[in-house]
């Protein structure tokens, strides 16, 4: 297969983990005889510095022209502490999602046996937890009408029926392939937007009798996720709730640095870690590249290249078992491995497999 990849390293630790993702992708393509090309593009604070725009037109063109986007992270503290800033790095990520029509964000939450103890939750609660959060990504408060002056501000949580239907359709696809259990997360006891979600979901549940559909308020879901994470198989929810719940989900796995995601929809799909740009770690060679590397596995799987994805997952598991780990998940007294060393170990494993 021939793959044309747009690479958007972004800010903070982005470029460091991006390098490892690209190296792993190249190694897998070599091994399986795929032809791959990478085209780099600017995004986030870096793009603001160079062009004034966090998602420049040129970047959009490169993304549209590619088969997939390998995205890393955006964000810079110089914008976080300035609520009056007119342009912000995160707008680059949001513009990319909107312009590429990426309405479905797939965030798998899995555990690694050797990292169970890294979760702040009890071992017996997290062992075996395995679910997918399907987060709606181009609607809701993130994109609804906004207003801000010195005395008043609002964000509108707007959803239309077609927006809800297409994300639920996606969620049912996952539920059908998995354990056939879908939990629709909303706040239908308070929010009108949630009541429409629930109404549409109830209509669709009838058309999917093979899947057990249940409904949960988001506050309750937040509790259930840490009380009984094994309850969930596929969870579907709106943009803002999905953002919050998936950070919570990372506590089940034990590190934010382990969770990949795929964003799919109308145009080029994007594969990215769920974590941010961790500016404090920039250049220190300590960021965990595994979320990015596992995003590459999701990329291959998206194109139905299952063996390729499997090899990456096997290599990642082997690196963890061999204690080739970045500091935040290293065992006490274990050897020091940085971003580069973990990436290089995985590339070697793939070459020798
Ligand atoms: C995420 C991030 C983004 C979001 C930020 C960086 C805009 O937190 O992908 O979860 O809120 O969607
Ligand atoms: Mg988030």
């Amino acid at each position: 297969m021939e793959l044309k990849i747009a690479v958007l390293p972004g800010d903070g630790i982005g470029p460091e983990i991006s390098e490892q993702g690209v190296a792993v992708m190249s190694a897998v393509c070599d091994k399986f005889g795929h032809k791959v090309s990478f085209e780099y593009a600017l995004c986030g604070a870096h793009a603001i510095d160079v062009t004034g725009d966090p998602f420049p037109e040129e970047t959009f063109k490169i993304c549209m022209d590619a088969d997939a986007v390998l995205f890393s992270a955006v964000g810079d503290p110089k914008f976080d502490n300035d609520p009056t800033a007119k342009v912000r790095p995160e707008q680059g990520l949001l513009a990319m999602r909107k312009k590429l029509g990426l309405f479905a964000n797939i965030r798998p939450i899995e555990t690694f046996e050797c990292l169970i103890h890294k979760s702040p939750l009890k071992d017996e609660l997290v062992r075996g937890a395995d679910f997918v959060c399907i987060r709606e990504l181009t609607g809701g408060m993130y994109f609804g009408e906004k207003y801000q002056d010195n005395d008043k501000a609002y964000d509108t949580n707007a959803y239309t029926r077609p927006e809800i239907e297409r994300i639920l359709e996606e969620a049912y696809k996952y539920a059908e392939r998995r354990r056939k259990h879908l939990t629709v997360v909303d706040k239908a006891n308070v929010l009108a937007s949630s009541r429409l979600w629930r109404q549409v979901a109830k209509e669709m549940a009838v058309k999917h009798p093979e899947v057990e559909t249940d409904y949960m308020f988001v506050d309750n879901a937040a509790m259930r996720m840490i009380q009984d994470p094994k309850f969930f198989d596929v969870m579907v929810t709106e943009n803002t709730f999905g953002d919050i719940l998936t950070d919570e989900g990372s506590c089940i796995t034990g590190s934010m640095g382990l969770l990949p995601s795929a964003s799919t929809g109308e145009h080029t799909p994007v594969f990215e870690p769920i974590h941010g740009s961790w500016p404090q770690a920039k250049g220190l060679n300590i960021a965990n590249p595994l979320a990015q590397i596992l995003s590459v596995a999701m990329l291959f799987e998206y194109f139905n290249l299952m063996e390729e994805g499997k090899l990456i997952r096997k290599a990642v598991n082997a690196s963890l078992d061999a204690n080739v780990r970045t500091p935040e998940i290293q065992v006490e007294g274990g050897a020091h491995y940085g971003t580069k060393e973990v990436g290089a170990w995985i590339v070697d494993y793939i070459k020798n497999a």
Side-chain angles (χ1 to χ4, degrees):
M1 188 168 180
E2 250 186 80
L3 285 163
K4 204 166 159 186
I5 306 298
V7 183
L8 276 56
D11 309 319
I13 57 167
E16 294 165 64
I17 58 167
S18 173
E19 201 183 316
Q20 302 316 316
V22 167
V24 167
M25 178 136 195
S26 305
V28 173
C29 285
D30 272 356
K31 179 120 213 148
F32 287 84
H34 303 303
K35 227 176 127 193
V36 63
S37 62
F38 299 102
E39 184 143 14
Y40 286 78
L42 298 174
C43 189
H46 184 204
I48 297 176
D49 290 343
V50 179
T51 71
D53 182 347
F55 189 64
E57 199 51 34
E58 170 73 8
T59 300
F60 176 52
K61 279 206 194 102
I62 292 174
C63 291
M64 284 297 280
D65 213 37
D67 296 308
V69 177
L70 190 61
F71 184 93
S72 298
V74 291
D76 189 301
K78 75 180 176 212
F79 297 92
D80 292 344
N81 300 321
D82 177 9
T84 62
K86 285 271 174 289
V87 281
R88 320 181 65 82
E90 289 78 6
Q91 287 166 348
L93 178 58
L94 301 182
M96 177 179 75
R97 291 172 178 170
K98 195 71 176 176
K99 287 178 129 179
L100 296 177
L102 304 171
F103 61 84
N105 183 220
I106 318 300
R107 297 190 163 183
I109 315 268
E110 291 158 350
T111 55
F112 297 87
E113 184 51 39
C114 64
L115 294 177
I116 293 280
H117 65 287
K118 282 286 166 190
S119 169
L121 302 177
K122 290 195 183 105
D123 289 13
E124 64 268 25
L125 281 183
V126 292
R127 181 169 287 119
D130 170 15
F131 64 94
V132 185
C133 179
I134 314 280
R135 169 187 176 195
E136 200 290 327
L137 203 58
T138 50
M141 265 197 283
Y142 276 63
F143 295 98
E145 190 196 322
K146 290 175 189 294
Y147 177 81
Q148 181 180 0
D149 67 26
N150 272 333
D151 304 304
K152 181 172 138 188
Y154 59 76
D155 303 277
T156 318
N157 199 31
Y159 270 106
T160 62
R161 173 177 280 271
E163 283 176 322
I164 301 169
E165 277 172 355
R166 66 182 180 180
I167 191 71
L168 285 167
E169 211 50 87
E170 192 69 18
Y172 273 111
K173 265 191 227 153
Y174 275 83
E176 271 155 15
R177 271 189 254 137
R178 293 174 51 98
R179 300 192 299 275
K180 301 190 168 33
H181 176 201
L182 178 65
T183 305
V184 181
V185 175
D186 63 28
K187 188 74 187 169
N189 50 347
V190 177
L191 303 177
S193 51
S194 278
R195 283 195 285 275
L196 182 60
W197 268 74
R198 196 170 282 214
Q199 185 183 328
V200 173
K202 291 226 156 168
E203 290 166 20
M204 288 178 66
V206 179
K207 295 184 196 139
H208 296 272
E210 68 291 357
V211 174
E212 184 195 339
T213 306
D214 48 36
Y215 307 88
M216 205 180 273
F217 296 140
V218 62
D219 45 352
N220 187 228
M223 184 177 74
R224 197 77 191 254
M225 262 175 68
I226 51 170
Q227 211 176 40
D228 182 18
K230 278 177 274 196
F231 171 82
F232 297 101
D233 174 21
V234 178
M235 164 195 288
V236 63
T237 192
E238 62 157 89
N239 205 344
T240 307
F241 298 162
D243 177 46
I244 299 166
L245 291 178
T246 50
D247 265 31
E248 187 187 350
S250 73
C251 292
I252 296 168
T253 303
S255 166
M256 278 283 267
L258 293 167
L259 293 191
S261 82
S263 302
T264 63
E266 292 161 19
H267 303 292
T268 320
V270 173
F271 300 87
E272 56 168 316
I274 83 151
H275 62 69
S277 61
W278 196 15
Q280 302 77 4
K282 180 180 173 169
L284 299 181
N285 192 36
I286 56 169
N288 194 337
L290 293 187
Q292 178 87 80
I293 290 171
L294 289 167
S295 304
V296 176
M298 288 187 86
L299 189 160
F300 282 116
E301 286 156 3
Y302 175 87
F303 291 103
N304 239 340
L305 300 171
M306 303 316 265
E307 287 305 310
E308 288 79 344
K310 209 155 139 196
L311 178 57
I312 295 178
R313 293 177 191 281
K314 199 168 156 206
V316 164
N317 281 322
S319 73
L320 291 170
D321 286 340
N323 288 334
V324 177
R325 307 177 186 183
T326 43
E328 95 285 5
I329 52 168
Q330 184 53 294
V331 290
E332 224 175 276
H336 177 86
Y337 289 93
T339 316
K340 284 197 178 103
E341 291 74 28
V342 171
W345 195 96
I346 289 173
V347 165
D348 271 350
Y349 183 97
I350 289 166
K351 282 187 181 154
N352 297 322

